[in-house]
Structures are given as structure tokens and as C-alpha cells.
Amino acid sequence: MGASLPFIDLTVSPQHRMFLSDWRSELHFGQAEVLVPAISFVNGRDIRQMHDSQSVIYYHLLFDAHEVVTANGVASESLHLGEMALASLHDDAAKEVMMIFKDLPTQMHARKTARFVARKSDAIAALASVA
């Protein structure tokens, strides 16, 4: 994630996309900046997948547009509200989002990502080759 990053431990879901902007993004994806699923970075040493957590509470940041945000010094994506993300929200949260973003159903397919998004299988294969 970068030298001495994150500042303190950071836990994200496996599908949460992390911002990558170094030689790996150019080499493997042909892009200066790319969003890569967190699961792709798992190396068993300093980036591990948690299997022993009893429960998880997710906090989503939702903006008018998909954004790159920073947490604990590490850049990643805000919530990209597409059909899958909306379907994964608790009913009350989904209703609240629909109240705030009244045009969302008609704009769902037009919502752009903040950066190029690497497919999970491509990202896992590419980043595993440099681990």
C-alpha cells in the first residue's frame, strides 16, 4: 500500500477496491491509476484475509459521484452505487439512498467509476506474480 502505510491497521471487504498508481498499474493494466479489489493484494504476510471475525459493521461513504478517498493514509474508493451495491445494502439503508438520490434508478447504468477498474481475476493474477 506504500511505505509505512496504512498508518494503523485498515480493514476493508475483499471486494473493496484500492487505488493503485505505481509501476504495477502501468505494467499489468496499462493505466496510470487503477482501482483494484483488496483481495488481490492478499499476500499472507502484511496483507491478510480475516476469517475469524464474529461480525462486521461496514461504513460506506457515498458521494454524488464515485470518488477516491483516503483512510489511514491509504487511497481507496468510495461506495460505487450500482445495482450490486444497492442490493447489498440493508433495506433501510437502500430506502434512504433512494430518497436522497431520487434519479438513481434512471442513472444507475450511467454512473462512472472514479478510475479504471481492474477485473478481480485479472488483478489477482497480476499482483500475485509480483508478491
Side-chain angles (χ1 to χ4, degrees):
M1 304 280 74
S4 302
L5 293 176
F7 300 136
I8 58 173
D9 287 349
L10 178 65
T11 303
V12 298
S13 72
Q15 298 80 24
H16 189 80
R17 293 180 290 227
M18 309 306 291
F19 181 75
L20 184 65
S21 64
D22 62 16
W23 63 270
R24 297 171 295 178
S25 55
E26 290 281 350
L27 177 67
H28 297 295
F29 307 106
Q31 301 286 327
E33 300 175 334
V34 63
L35 291 167
V36 180
I39 189 77
S40 308
F41 291 95
V42 171
N43 60 20
R45 295 180 315 273
D46 50 347
I47 303 175
R48 297 175 301 280
Q49 189 168 11
M50 295 173 54
H51 296 286
D52 58 351
S53 182
Q54 294 296 323
S55 66
V56 176
I57 298 172
Y58 290 107
Y59 295 92
H60 299 288
L61 298 177
L62 179 59
F63 301 95
D64 288 339
H66 191 225
E67 301 286 346
V68 173
V69 297
T70 304
N72 300 355
V74 178
S76 68
E77 68 174 340
S78 66
L79 178 62
H80 181 251
L81 201 54
E83 290 177 20
M84 254 171 53
L86 189 59
S88 71
L89 295 177
H90 187 274
D91 287 343
D92 291 340
K95 286 177 189 173
E96 182 179 3
V97 166
M98 296 304 281
M99 252 178 34
I100 295 168
F101 296 92
K102 293 181 181 5
D103 295 333
L104 186 62
T106 59
Q107 297 174 347
M108 193 80 73
H109 296 291
R111 291 183 66 85
K112 295 182 180 179
T113 57
R115 301 294 188 279
F116 175 83
V117 174
R119 287 192 352 224
K120 186 165 119 177
S121 57
D122 294 341
I124 290 172
L127 296 179
S129 70
V130 294

